[in-house]
Amino acid sequence: MGYLDGFRVTFKKLFEFPRLTRSYVKNEGGKREKPERLHGRHVLNRYEDGMEKCIGCELCAGVCPARCIYVRGADNPLDNPVSPGERYGFIYEINYLRCIHCDLCVEACPTEAITESKLFEFSFTNRSDAIYTKAELVVGDDGRPKQLPWEDWTDIDAVEANTSAWMRATAPNGAAEFEGIVAWAGELGYGVKPAEQGQSVDAPATPAESEPEPAEEPADDEHAGEHH
Ligand code: SF4
Ligand code: SF4
């Protein structure tokens, strides 16, 4: 009879008034502030010349703990290559019913092809919509993600600048000595993104706040009088 305990809550709520159904808050001040490094839905990036960065190596699929990426590589057509190098991502799919947005695929990718945007407001009415295909994931001719019918882009102004590559905020290999050094490729529509400053306690918040170089001291008092 233990299962009846569950119904106690149901019946209690049945006679509670007023009954409230809260609408999705959109931009009415009800949304919580997003973390700076929110992991949203992925994009497949392109180089500044429009070539796709994905080389179909399948490392992202291999590392994914949720097994939600399906990739197939193919040889680049010699007369019209899709990506630099031998191969490109011929098929690329991510199943968002399984993805846990851990970002391991982004870490594994050798060409920065797959990155996570800040877009997270999407809902599906069928399973096939939840499986994003390559055509849906690859950025458009302006370098921006493609908006799909079931995605809410109300906040796009706030997230547009970060629709790719949150990882570029940190050192490319995580080592402190590389902090602030740009070591990544440019991307279509954005060029080469600058490194984010202020990542460690020793780093200045912005380049403008750096300490000025100390003026060179004269070698000795005798020569000091010669300078005006
Ligand atoms: S974010 Fe994590 S779970 Fe999602 S596709 Fe990438 S590796 Fe898989
Ligand atoms: S997204 Fe990156 S890791 Fe995945 S197949 Fe393409 S190049 Fe390889």
Side-chain angles (χ1 to χ4, degrees):
M1 297 298 280
Y3 65 89
L4 288 179
D5 285 350
F7 284 111
R8 206 169 48 211
V9 177
T10 308
F11 284 117
K12 200 170 137 215
K13 293 289 170 192
L14 201 60
F15 300 106
E16 252 182 30
F17 293 94
R19 290 185 191 144
L20 293 177
T21 302
R22 196 170 169 203
S23 303
Y24 187 60
V25 288
K26 297 255 177 191
N27 268 356
E28 294 151 20
K31 281 186 188 174
R32 280 184 294 175
E33 192 83 7
K34 309 298 178 306
E36 204 173 327
R37 294 185 184 171
L38 172 95
H39 295 175
R41 77 114 159 133
H42 302 74
V43 285
L44 281 171
N45 296 298
R46 293 158 68 183
Y47 290 104
E48 288 177 272
D49 62 2
M51 285 195 128
E52 292 178 12
K53 291 189 175 185
C54 179
I55 52 172
C57 68
E58 301 181 26
L59 284 175
C60 52
V63 80
C64 176
R67 294 281 178 264
C68 62
I69 301 181
Y70 177 69
V71 192
R72 278 286 167 271
D75 288 345
N76 262 314
L78 290 178
D79 51 348
N80 188 22
V82 180
S83 71
E86 275 180 41
R87 290 168 70 76
Y88 74 105
F90 172 58
I91 296 173
Y92 201 105
E93 293 176 357
I94 298 181
N95 183 346
Y96 282 105
L97 296 176
R98 301 175 73 171
C99 174
I100 56 171
H101 295 279
C102 64
D103 231 36
L104 287 178
C105 51
V106 176
E107 298 289 342
C109 180
T111 62
E112 303 156 10
I114 184 85
T115 54
E116 287 200 280
S117 72
K118 308 295 179 201
L119 301 166
F120 70 96
E121 293 171 293
F122 44 85
S123 57
F124 316 108
T125 51
N126 61 68
R127 283 173 179 267
S128 61
D129 285 351
I131 299 171
Y132 277 46
T133 61
K134 180 185 164 184
E136 294 166 341
L137 289 166
V138 78
V139 293
D141 291 339
D142 54 1
R144 288 163 50 103
K146 291 173 186 156
Q147 184 176 13
L148 301 170
W150 49 86
E151 291 182 347
D152 180 349
W153 278 31
T154 312
D155 278 351
I156 191 62
D157 289 343
V159 301
E160 200 273 337
N162 298 312
T163 44
S164 69
W166 72 271
M167 64 176 184
R168 291 190 176 93
T170 53
N173 70 350
E177 60 266 34
F178 290 100
E179 187 181 290
I181 297 172
V182 173
W184 39 83
E187 62 191 90
L188 187 64
Y190 296 96
V192 181
K193 287 190 172 173
E196 185 178 283
Q197 301 295 313
Q199 290 293 304
S200 74
V201 287
D202 300 327
T206 63
E209 290 174 28
S210 312
E211 288 292 319
E213 288 286 317
E216 206 168 292
E217 291 292 325
D220 54 53
D221 287 343
E222 186 185 332
H223 293 117
E226 294 171 9
H227 299 283
H228 299 285

